[in-house]
Each structure stands twice: as structure tokens, then as C-alpha cells.
Amino acid sequence: MKRIVFALLCVLAFIGVEAQTNGERTIITLEDNWKFSKGDIAEAQQVDFNDRKWETVTVPHDWAIYGPFDKEIDKQTVRITQNMEKKATEKYGRTGALPHIGTAWYRKTFTAPAYKKGKEALLVFDGAMSQAQVYVNGQRVGERPYGYSYFYFNISEYLKEGEENTLAVRLHNDPYSSRWYPGAGIYRKVQLIVKDEVSFKQWGTFITTPYITNDVAKVNVKSAVQGDNLSIETEIVDARGKIWATKKSSERYGNEIEFDVALPNPSLWSPQAPNLYYANLKLYQGDELKDLQRIQFGVRTIKYSAEKGFELNGQVTKFKGVCLHHDLGPIGAAINVSALRRQLVILKDMGCNAIRSAHNMPSMEQLELCDEMGFLFLAESFDEWAKPKVENGYNRFFDEWAEADVVNLVRATRNHPCIVMWSSGNEVPDQHGSIGVKRAKWLQDIFHREDPTRPVTVGMDQVKAVMESGFGSITDVPGLNYRVHLYEEAYDKFPQGFLLGSETASTNSSRGVYKFPLEFTNMKRYKDGQCCSYDFGRCNWSNVPDDDFVLQDDKDWVIGEFVWTGFDYLGEPTPYDRQWPSRSSYFGICDLGGLPKDRFYLYRSRWNTEDETLHLLPHWNWEGREGETTPVFAYTSYDSAELFVNGKSQGIRKKNKESNQTRYRLMWMDVKYEPGTIKVVAYDENGKAAAEKEISTAGKPHQIKLSADRETIKADGKELSYVTVSVLDKDGNLCPTASSQLNFKVKGAGSYRAACNGDATSLELFHNPSMKAFSGQLVVLVQAGTKPGDITLEVSSKGLIKNSCQIVAE
């Protein structure tokens, strides 16, 4: 267990302190030594239940990620209406073909702090998948059905202070309850908060900055409190700890104390400069200190208008965003900060400035990182309302729980400056008819009541229906999922004066896989279960990236996009949900292990305006295709380039508006394959050579190369280093078709966690220390132990020169 003092769950900057002093709250993270067992076990909530034979696990924990993959687990006959299917067909892998269905129990014993009368104990969950039933010392304290929601219970009457206590949690996942892999278990953190009854209410403080100039910002603080004769003393500090302003107030309105603090010379928060402040709040009853909070916030303004679209701090800003599911590939749904950070580092390099949590409430850790690293955030709530998409989805709980779930979403996260918009739903069947309009209005009103500072959107795919019903007209920010051919008509009919591409592209590709002849394809399926990485493959409802680029570049009223998706995710293996094996998506700009696909560089060439981009595709190993047409593309930030095949020029290509593709890609469509080297030379605006890139035909696999994303990690038992493993020939060229079986050994102050090759058809288990390379590469995850020291990863394969790399845990 880890004690954290002077910190409020979810919106705090944590500082570790062991002692509890007057007025301070204690936060205990219930992390280690949980007992776990699958199955619906009678009396497992009782204190004297014998769990000695249960597995010992650490929370966050996802028990289903360990497999095995099995097409029978989520096989179903269904018509996916949002995919525009006309009839039901047998589907596989929709939820990742992983065994997440069923019941499981968690038990944890812990010693509660000794405290005096008048203390309050809260048990707080960031998420539990799903239908949680929670017991303390054998007594049922509450339930929460939605697996993505944050929730807490006041367990003061059940807790034995200063003694050992037993916490038990029963979770259950029904079949047909998700459209993607939901994970299973207590996959986000659990904390016990002990504080005075006279205190700040949980998630009760809301900090906004309603007035900002270069000289001063008005920081408004509203704190819900419990107790009489109260006052709050506040100091505003920056990330370095410098105090910028102080204020003391006792002005109370009902259960809320509200006041303004003048912050001089404010440093604004933005993706380019994510400056953060902290409000240190002390709650006094008379002269006695009762409670403390430290809340992180940012100073920034947001505005949406027909005249300028979206403005951040007075500057017109377009959303260059991606959608992200909550799973973290080979480690499943269990939250890991270093895995989340790695995703954001990759996206930052691509030029991405925004994240949409699709289609679920985000983790607290993800929001904290987006605050720190500078990402705009669209926080989503539901994939279903009252009308079902899947038989046992959220529709069963909507009427009873929707308001409570939205309230907790907003109150728990509203102090994060990264959040600039809420989403009340995604492609809900309720888009049709007046009942759906009323539900949309009802939800939007709840968001507005809890947070008047941010607008609400809905991801709408039934564009004709929402134009007719008024659904799209009452939404603060009309979000269109795909349907680029209807943008103009929707803009004319909706009153807001702007549109958001709330979900775009859904282009299919497999990293390093190319198909011939090159053609635009719609739901194309190949025998090998892979998709073509020339980025011309789309779905029935979607389009290729260039179609969205044109709208955003030519129409001021299109305020940006959120691409489906930033990374591949488990489940939804479109277009291969009728072809086994296939258990993860093909939509990602990066694969399931986080390795960039070619499409990454297409987006980077447009989004990353600070750095040079020059990427060449395809690979140049095509034995048996000599003399055949093999198109070559360059994705680049430059406007023109020249291609050479074995030193012979194939001509200069310049971006132009003849087609959507020639506007953003440089393409040589009639190149004939011959082994050797292809080279592209990019030219600047003056016609001078500015950059070049070449790819050579690789020989036979000969050696292994290792490259760690971080060579130093924290010895906290959690941090990960992602090591990219590449199969090379004797000259150091990547072998792009290599599928060598690679074996992993980790020694020293760490352990092997998982591996992932990005192959959606692979049934190899992530946690086994062996996996085949896919398109010549894979990623190995090395996890730190709890003691400092050196960690050595060794990778070997029959017939290849093995290699090792060292990572330091400190």
C-alpha cells in the first residue's frame, strides 16, 4: 500500500508523505497483494472466506488479456447497422477473441488508519469492468454497472479504524455487451481516502479562469464543503513552486464557498506551451485546519463560433486529433502511465494536438498526461443510450444510471485544462426521431449544469436523420462521423455555422504489407487477412485520409478532425470479422504495438509543421515481381521530389490539386520493380535538394537490432521500456518480409512483460517470451522491478546473430 498525503484523487499532483498531521487527508492506493479468482464464488465477500489458493495480483489488473485467443469466445451472428450491413452474418473477434466474459472476484485486506471520531472514509474506483458489487467487511456498500465510470462510496460505517479490513469486489461481463475488447477486472486504480467530516466534498472543487489578459487572470474557485463556520485559504503556485497569489474567503452560498483570485502575468496553457498552475486550498473551521487540497489547473480560454470556428486563447486552432480506445495493446486494459506516455510521445511527433476518448470515459492518468504534454481533449461518455447496439450493452442501465455517470465524469475531470469539449455519445441509434432529440437535450443539459464552460458534441453518423429531426441542430458542436459527401448539406442546414469531423477516415492498413495491382478498395479482403499499406483501403461508410484533408484545408467552417484511430486496438477486426483468424483492428495510424504504419507519415507531413518529413514506400523486396509495375509513394512535408531507381530518374512529382491524392502525396504509379535501391530527393521551394531517403533490397535475415524508447526507467515495479526489435541483413538493411521466431530473456532488475508484432492475425499470446516478427519487426515490453539496477534484454532466433540491450532502473 502506498500512502499519499495532501492530495485529492483524480485532479491532484501527488506528493508522497508518510505522516498524517492535523488537517491533512490520507490517501492509500490499494495496489499490491490483491487476491483474485475467476468464477462466481459463493460467500467470497465474507471476511473469513479462505482465499489462500487464489492468485495474487496487482491492481490495475486485466485478467482477460492473458488469453487464449479463441474464435468461439465472441462468435456471433449479427448485422452491424452502423457498418451499413444489410443482413446478419457470423462474426469473429469483435471483442478481441479474448476470454473476458464471465464473473470474477477480487479480495484485499488492508489496515485502515487510526483516526478520531468525526473522520470520513471514501473508497474510490477509477473504473472496474464491469457491473461492480463492492463489499467491506462482508457488508455490501454499493454497486456500479458501467465499467468505464468513476465512482466512490462512503464506507465510514463499515470500516474498522486502526484494524485489518476486508474489501471484496465482484465483477461480471455479459456476452454481447461490447463492440470492442472491453478488458476485464479492476483495470484502473482504487484508493481509500480518509479525511475529516468537515472537509472538501469529493470532486467538489471547480476552478475556472473566466477573465484573462496579459496582465492578470481571474481565477474563480468554487468548492463544495461540509461543515459550519468554514473559510478557505488559497495560494496559487506554478510548477516550480513559486507562489503567485493568495486569498482567504468565507463567502458561502449553500454548501459552496466561492471566490476569485487575481493571478498576475499569467502563463497560458496550450499544446505548444502546456503551462500548469496549482491551487493549494486549506479549509479551516474557525482557526482549526480541517482539510487540504492541491488541484492542478491551467489558464486558457476556449471559444466556438461561426465566424472563426474553434479558438484557443484567441487563436484559431484546428483539431488535428485521433480517437483512442482504452486498451494498451499487449497489456490490455490495465492502466500503465509509461504506456500511455509512449502513445502521446509518438502522437506528438506526428503533429497530433488532440485526443478523443472513444468511446469511453478517459483514465485520470491519460488526462494528467495530456495536461502535462499539451493535448486538447474531447472526453466521451457513452457508446449507447437507451436504444441498443449490442444486446447487453449500456442500454440496460441508461435510464437509471446515465445522469449519475455523467455527473461523475464531469466533476471528477473538469479541472483538467486539456478538456475542451464533452461528448454525450457516439453513433447512438437514438439519432432517429423526436425521442432521440429529447435524450440528446437532456444529456446536454446535465453537462451544462455541471460545467457551463465547455460545449457538448455527439458523434453523429446518421447525418440525414439528424438533419431532419433537429438532433444535429440542438447539439453545441455538430460532430460528423465520416459522411464527407454530406458536409456541405449539413453545414447549410445546421445553425451552428461550423462542423467537427468527430470521427474520420477509418482507413485500413497492415504495417509493411502491400497488395498489387494498386487500387482503391472498399472492404477488400485478402486470403492472408492483411490490408494494403498504400492507404487506399476504406470501409463501406468511410474514406481515405486525403478526403478529410481537403475539407479542413478548403472550408474554414470544418474545425478539424479526430481520426479513427491513432493506434490499432483489440477487437473490431474490420474488414476481417468474417474471416478467422483476426482479433484486432486495422484502423490504426500505428499498429497494436505502437510501430508507425506508412500512414503515420502522411499525417505527419501535414500536421507536424516544425519538423521535416520524408517517407518512402513500399519496401523494395519483391522477388518474383521483376519488371512488374510497383508504384512508389513519398509522404513528405516538401512540395516536390524526384525518384531514382538504381540511379535512374523516374521523374519529378509536385503536389497539385488534380486529385485529392496528388494534393498530399507524391506518387510514381508506373515504376517497374528491379532489385537494388530506390531513392527519393525532396526539393525546397527554390528547387534545391533539401532531403533524401533511400530503401535497398535486403538480403537474407542475418542479425537482430534492438532499440529502446527509454534506456532509463524508474524502479517502481510499473514503468516500461518499449524495445523495438528489427531483423536485419548482413549490411544492416531491414528485412521487410522476415517472420523469424524471436525469443526473449530478461535478466537483472526487471522482468519481461509482453511482446507485440502488430499482426492482427497472430494468435501468439502477448505474455509468452517468444513471438514471430511481422514485416521484420516487433516490440518487447520490459518492466522495472522495485529495486534499482541494470536490466538486460536478450533477443535470439535460430540462424540469426543474437543481440542484447541494457536498461537502467533507478
Side-chain angles (χ1 to χ4, degrees), residues 204-322:
T205 296
F206 188 18
I207 298 177
T208 58
T209 54
Y211 176 81
I212 302 172
T213 68
N214 291 333
D215 298 324
V216 67
K218 181 168 78 171
V219 179
N220 178 260
V221 181
K222 296 183 179 74
S223 284
V225 293
Q226 47 198 33
D228 299 321
N229 188 29
L230 301 179
S231 63
I232 297 177
E233 185 178 291
T234 305
E235 61 181 20
I236 306 297
V237 303
D238 63 19
R240 293 170 295 180
K242 179 180 178 180
I243 299 174
W244 285 91
T246 60
K247 184 71 175 283
K248 187 169 184 178
S249 178
S250 58
E251 291 187 32
R252 185 164 179 170
Y253 308 90
N255 71 348
E256 192 172 79
I257 295 176
E258 179 178 358
F259 54 92
D260 295 322
V261 184
L263 174 63
N265 305 314
S267 297
L268 303 187
W269 183 94
S270 70
Q272 296 76 29
N275 299 298
L276 294 171
Y277 289 92
Y278 303 87
N280 294 332
L281 307 176
K282 299 179 181 180
L283 183 68
Y284 289 89
Q285 187 174 51
D287 294 328
E288 184 180 359
L289 178 63
K290 286 293 187 178
D291 199 8
L292 296 167
Q293 285 190 120
R294 178 177 168 88
I295 297 182
Q296 180 176 288
F297 70 97
V299 179
R300 56 107 178 102
T301 64
I302 59 173
K303 183 180 179 182
Y304 296 80
S305 68
E307 293 74 28
K308 293 187 177 181
F310 172 64
E311 294 173 82
L312 177 69
N313 300 327
Q315 299 294 316
V316 174
T317 301
K318 291 233 180 185
F319 292 101
K320 299 184 289 186
V322 301

Side-chain angles (χ1 to χ4, degrees), residues 416-539:
H416 289 283
C418 65
I419 298 178
V420 295
M421 195 188 321
W422 306 107
S423 170
S424 63
N426 170 69
E427 296 181 1
V428 294
D430 314 65
Q431 290 169 83
H432 298 270
S434 61
I435 294 177
V437 176
K438 291 174 182 177
R439 286 187 186 126
K441 179 67 164 53
W442 175 70
L443 285 169
Q444 185 166 273
D445 286 346
I446 296 170
F447 277 103
H448 288 170
R449 182 191 72 206
E450 299 299 320
D451 175 15
T453 72
R454 296 176 177 96
V456 180
T457 190
V458 180
M460 300 179 290
D461 64 328
Q462 302 300 310
V463 180
K464 287 287 189 181
V466 299
M467 285 192 286
E468 293 172 4
S469 68
F471 188 110
S473 295
I474 61 100
T475 304
D476 294 335
V477 177
L480 268 57
N481 287 9
Y482 317 109
R483 313 299 189 265
V484 290
H485 62 288
L486 294 175
Y487 269 41
E488 293 274 6
E489 185 179 354
Y491 171 67
D492 288 340
K493 290 195 174 181
F494 292 160
Q496 296 90 340
F498 57 86
L499 299 175
L500 171 68
S502 46
E503 194 168 309
T504 64
S506 272
T507 304
N508 302 122
S509 64
S510 302
R511 177 180 54 80
V513 176
Y514 308 91
K515 302 294 185 180
F516 305 99
L518 175 58
E519 58 183 344
F520 282 93
T521 59
N522 183 348
M523 300 292 282
K524 180 77 172 182
R525 300 178 183 91
Y526 300 92
K527 290 183 179 180
D528 63 358
Q530 305 297 345
C531 294
C532 179
S533 199
Y534 276 111
D535 304 317
F536 280 174
R538 60 181 181 83
C539 304

